[in-house]
Amino acid sequence: MREIILGTAGHVDHGKTSLIRALTGIETDRLKEEKARGITIELGFAYLDLPCGHRLGIVDVPGHEKFIRNMVAGAAGMDLAAFVVAADEGIMPQTVEHFEICRLLGVRDGLIVLTKKDVVEPEWLDMVTEEVRDFFAGSFLENAPIVPVNAITGEGVDEIVRLLDAKVAALNFHEEFGPFRMAVDRVFTMKGFGTVITGTSLAGRIETGAELMFYPGGLTAKIRGIQVHGKEVDLVEAGHRTAINLQGIEKEQINRGDMAATPGSLIASTLLDAEFHHLQSARKELKNRTQVRVHLGTREIVGRIALLESDTLAPGATTHIQLILQEPVAVWPGDRYVIRSYSPITTIGGGAILNSAPRKRKRTLERDRIANQAHFARLAEADSEQKLLILAEEAGGKGITADQLAARTGVFSKKLKKQLQHPISTGALVLVDSESQRMLAATVAEGINRQIADLLAAFHRNNPLKPGLAKEELRSQLRPAVDQKVLAALLAALVKKGVLEQVGAEVKLGGHTVVLQVNEQEMEQKIGDLYREALLTPPNLKEVLTAFGEFPERQIRQVIDLLLAKEELIKINEMLFFHAPAIQALQEEVIAFIRREGEIDAQRFKDLTGLTRKFSIPLLEYFDKIKLTIRVDDKRVLRKG
């Protein structure tokens, strides 16, 4: 069953750890330094079994400003927040910052706890209660219950349990099980067990014996054992505080902040499209390409903010940005993040990820910014099916596979297949490779098809004597680049429709024929006769160009290409062409000789043909090239088959 996570938040020394101890009996400060200094430094964990039958996972976060990084890591998995305010101090700086972080991370429910009620007078407690209510006005905690407690005597603790029980009992625990994800917050080695990771399970389920992949590095390991709240289990689900014992990987190969997930469920990228809210408390305008600290899950990465719709952003404003990170991360759309300034370090904003592996977006020109606004407006209005189409369109001529769509959207297996049915059946998505399930947006396919027709029309105009253009040459001219399999599928469809015709490895527009001028017809006849009469001792290309010097070189080359296309000539190398029947006759002679003698070498080939080295060596190499013969030392034998 999915577990709900309660996280504490609030200023240092306001009693978060004492509250958890009073609720659960568990001491979450485990480090020697924490006990000596009396403050929380690292994340602490506990649990509470509620009367409704559900277990509540609890994360204790540090309140000191120096450890905000750890607080953000703990807040990343919260479902509910217990906002702790000391009655003797009221709202303090980290109260404000923790609250802003919770809002940026999408926490939507919780309660407010006034600790240390025993050290203030009732009138003071009423005043602080009013201050707290005013502070949280207009937020997700506006109508949250406020519970004064004395963690030492336990006064108010039962009321907190009752409120939490009611909230958890009212939640919908239904979850579609997809790939497992867990942000690593600790990694260590345990004697006799090996490498162990801990974290809060964010999604899906996984069991002992399964394989995990660590993103962004891509290393894999097998699960040897799983613990949830210190107890051995065979399977873990979302929301559980989890320790996983691994085999096949060393502690040094995993870092805090890595995402442990089902293999193939994520894509690592250094670019992220995101919605960004600039906090009113930031005070200063945010400039384009400002260097910042990006908090995602349990990870902090240095990066820059590219403002996609303006040059600056005022405090309190919301816009769309592209995060340019120094290191790759692996996330899903909808994941939340927090931005802190590089120096001095303060929280300045955050929001939700919209695209986990976008293309680099232009923003220099006004038309770029207008295009960006239009893109994000379309994305905001798109349903799940339309979002698949948007990703396919952005993939362009490379196309996008079903696996890539899954990792980019967080939608998998049957659910993804169902979402793809309609766009594929209506032709909005074109399946170009059934083996890899590679798809192309119809709008992209139409653009490539128009470009193909334009390129071939231009080719026919500029090369009137060439019957067609080689497919690879055509692909090299397409902009932007088109995947080889994608192009093959599009060409096959165009040939089937009669738009194109295929001649060997070349394509041409349907109905296109080579029409020779009178002088070209004469040249074709003369060049053909020249090679026909020369048999196995033809002139080289340079000699042919000289012999027909009254014609432009380009025209002569095109006539030779035409004779090659008609299979009247055979190309041996860039300079030598032979009359096709002469080569075919020689080929039969060579086959008969080797069958009779077992092999042939250069000297016996010269004796057989009467040719000099000038012709015999290129011809022997040609027979190797067409896989008639194979060279063994200085001899040649027939290739098997």
Side-chain angles (χ1 to χ4, degrees), residues 550-586:
E550 70 271 22
F551 298 103
E553 180 179 329
R554 183 166 176 271
Q555 197 174 27
I556 299 169
R557 287 179 178 272
Q558 287 184 349
V559 168
I560 290 174
D561 286 340
L562 182 62
L563 290 168
L564 287 169
K566 290 182 175 181
E567 298 183 348
E568 292 182 24
L569 294 185
I570 289 177
K571 182 179 180 179
I572 302 300
N573 57 38
E574 292 302 320
M575 296 300 292
L576 273 178
F577 304 87
F578 285 76
H579 186 50
I583 292 295
Q584 289 157 5
L586 176 60

Side-chain angles (χ1 to χ4, degrees), residues 39 77 145 168 212 327 400 430 458 501 519 608:
I39 62 171
V168 171
L212 277 178
E327 302 169 16
I400 193 164
V430 180
E501 293 177 25
N519 63 336
L608 175 69

